[in-house]
Amino acid sequence: MTLLTSWVGSANSAETPFPLNNLPYGVFTVDGTAPRCGVAIGDQIFDVTKAEADGLVELDAAPVLDAPYWNKLMELGPDVWATFRARLTELLSEGAEARPGYLVAQADAVMLMPFKVAEFTDFYAGKHHAMNVGTMFRGPENALPPNWLHIPIGYNGRASTVLVSGTDIVRPNGQMKAPDAEVPSFGPCKRLDIELEMGAIIGGSNAMGDPVTVQQADDMIFGYVLLNDWSARDIQAWEYQPLGPFQAKAFATSISPWIVTKAALEPFRTSTPTREKDLLPHLVEPGPMLYDIDLEVTMAPEGQSATTIARTNYDRMYYSAAQQLAHHATSGCAMNVGDLIGSGTISGPEKSERGSLLELTWGGKEPMTLDTGETRTFIEDGDTLVLAGAAKGDGFQIGFGACVGTILPAKTFPQ
Ligand code: CA
């Protein structure tokens, strides 16, 4: 596939994250007006709420795009997703009638949450991350739990604190206990971290009691976003046994504002790595269900320039989102439109590919030096962390837009 050209001039370059090949879905507002659904094209947003109201886009169950979220389209299923995408491609292609009245400059818009999050589940499906963290906590021989190569391990997170990129994050308070302390203490997290992840957005559902195959699971996925699973490592270390993370992860999860559809990512499908142990049949992928997406993380102290602290690729994951979703439903757990599935931290084999500060600074023992000359082990107040990602094609790319968060000081806890 090569670059598809549009009458929106800024979309016709190898550098734009949003060529006609992409067409990601977001929700935006301009000057405080009512939120609307839009599609990114070059440096513009095509206002599809207006396009549907004016009859340019016709969907069977209309109106579908009159709400400030994309769940109504998601509910209509893959055939409608394909028809809608084909119509958008037709409307925005070079040679089609130019309709500048439907464009809003991205620079003038504020992006909002693109969908209503039904529930959020986070996995632990990156082997390099699991090996690094397990080695730090339990030594290299016991790094991977015995179940790790057989099931994607996950936990039920919180949908209530999933936030769109650009939302500031307040440093959490919590209970923690230093290894050499006799009793626990309460206060602001001192080891605040990121987790570089991809989020899969579920656009289908299964009835309670009905499991799904890996292929059915892949068909249920609507699209992907970048996801930062903010983590309070000191709170996590004290609370996580035996039921896993709780308050350490519950305070905030950031996502990028544009839902990149599975259709846009189709040319970048790739397989999960070779299995180290054969999976049971119900979790075997029938085809490539992971994607080749370059990822990076930058960190900037308040008022200063950013330093790239990690670069890796989504293809490092051991389990795909489809395998995670299939596993999630094996017991008969009902999955719903708007469910969000976090991939787990994405790290590669090299030190420069580590997707968390916990790994980059090896538990705080090896501080990083930023380009500004400052050093960091974990995140300080005022720091801004940015995740970025793009699938790179021949003369075009499928970008995700940034997933940005700045850390504000902890609140004084009521006495
Ligand atoms: Ca995570």
Side-chain angles (χ1 to χ4, degrees):
M1 179 175 270
T2 54
L3 179 75
L4 304 176
T5 53
S6 169
W7 54 263
V8 182
S10 60
N12 301 328
S13 87
E15 282 73 42
T16 179
F18 307 123
L20 186 61
N21 308 58
N22 193 345
L23 301 177
Y25 304 150
V27 172
F28 69 99
T29 179
V30 179
D31 296 332
T33 54
R36 314 167 75 76
C37 290
V39 175
I41 180 80
D43 61 7
Q44 304 290 308
I45 301 171
F46 185 70
D47 183 341
V48 289
T49 297
K50 179 174 161 67
E52 186 190 45
D54 293 350
L56 283 181
V57 172
E58 290 182 17
L59 291 159
D60 286 346
V64 171
L65 305 168
D66 61 334
Y69 43 78
W70 284 83
N71 299 58
K72 288 172 76 174
L73 180 75
M74 288 152 67
E75 284 168 4
L76 297 177
D79 290 347
V80 176
W81 305 345
T83 307
F84 177 65
R85 180 174 167 83
R87 178 60 179 152
L88 284 177
T89 303
E90 182 181 43
L91 281 169
L92 290 166
S93 287
E94 187 172 33
E97 181 188 342
R99 292 184 166 92
Y102 290 84
L103 297 180
V104 172
Q106 287 172 29
D108 295 337
V110 173
M111 300 307 297
L112 306 171
M113 275 295 290
F115 71 109
K116 284 195 295 185
V117 183
E119 298 191 54
F120 170 48
T121 306
D122 193 34
F123 282 86
Y124 185 58
K127 181 154 177 279
H128 301 289
H129 171 72
M131 283 296 295
N132 286 336
V133 173
T135 300
M136 266 182 263
F137 290 168
R138 292 181 294 274
E141 300 78 20
N142 302 311
L144 282 188
N147 54 3
W148 203 94
L149 293 170
H150 301 278
I151 49 170
I153 299 174
Y155 68 94
N156 289 302
R158 292 293 300 176
S160 62
T161 40
V162 178
L163 311 160
V164 73
S165 169
T167 309
D168 291 339
I169 308 297
V170 176
R171 179 179 298 272
N173 284 295
Q175 189 180 116
M176 58 203 85
K177 187 177 109 40
D180 55 353
E182 280 194 20
V183 292
S185 60
F186 181 87
C189 163
K190 298 184 185 70
R191 290 160 70 91
L192 185 58
D193 201 354
I194 56 159
E195 289 192 338
L196 168 63
E197 302 193 22
M198 297 291 300
I201 298 164
I202 310 308
S205 60
N206 63 298
M208 182 176 168
D210 291 349
V212 298
T213 65
V214 178
Q215 181 61 58
Q216 286 169 329
D218 192 56
D219 294 342
M220 286 165 69
I221 296 172
F222 180 70
Y224 289 84
V225 288
L226 304 173
L227 185 149
N228 185 349
D229 179 29
W230 300 96
S231 299
R233 300 300 182 195
D234 38 9
I235 298 170
Q236 184 179 0
W238 175 230
E239 74 176 4
Y240 88 103
Q241 290 179 318
L243 290 183
F246 187 51
Q247 293 304 290
K249 308 272 191 175
F251 61 97
T253 305
S254 300
I255 63 167
S256 52
W258 296 104
I259 303 172
V260 175
T261 62
K262 198 171 50 181
L265 292 170
E266 206 56 43
F268 303 97
R269 273 188 189 263
T270 186
S271 295
T272 48
T274 307
R275 300 293 96 179
E276 293 177 31
K277 292 198 172 155
D278 287 343
L279 289 171
L280 292 173
H282 69 286
L283 289 178
V284 173
E285 275 185 336
M289 292 181 176
L290 204 57
Y291 299 91
D292 174 3
I293 300 169
D294 286 342
L295 301 166
E296 71 168 40
V297 183
T298 66
M299 183 178 208
E302 190 168 6
Q304 299 191 48
S305 58
T307 299
T308 300
I309 58 172
R311 280 199 180 91
T312 188
N313 192 295
Y314 183 42
D315 67 8
R316 303 291 194 247
M317 299 310 287
Y318 194 79
Y319 295 100
S320 65
Q323 287 172 304
Q324 293 172 335
L325 177 56
H327 174 60
H328 209 321
T330 43
S331 63
C333 175
M335 304 302 296
N336 291 302
V337 173
D339 279 349
L340 174 65
I341 286 183
S343 61
T345 308
I346 305 165
S347 294
E350 304 300 326
K351 189 171 180 184
S352 60
E353 289 186 76
R354 295 174 180 170
S356 68
L357 296 174
L358 180 69
E359 294 165 88
L360 286 164
T361 70
W362 208 251
K365 293 195 180 89
E366 301 172 12
M368 295 183 303
T369 302
L370 304 178
D371 296 346
T372 57
E374 293 189 44
T375 58
R376 285 289 184 280
T377 49
F378 292 95
I379 305 171
E380 298 192 4
D381 290 346
D383 287 352
T384 296
L385 280 295
V386 179
L387 313 186
K392 307 277 175 61
D394 181 14
F396 75 100
Q397 54 182 309
I398 303 294
F400 280 76
C403 180
V404 183
T406 298
I407 299 299
L408 302 181
K411 296 198 173 170
T412 304
F413 200 79
Q415 297 296 310

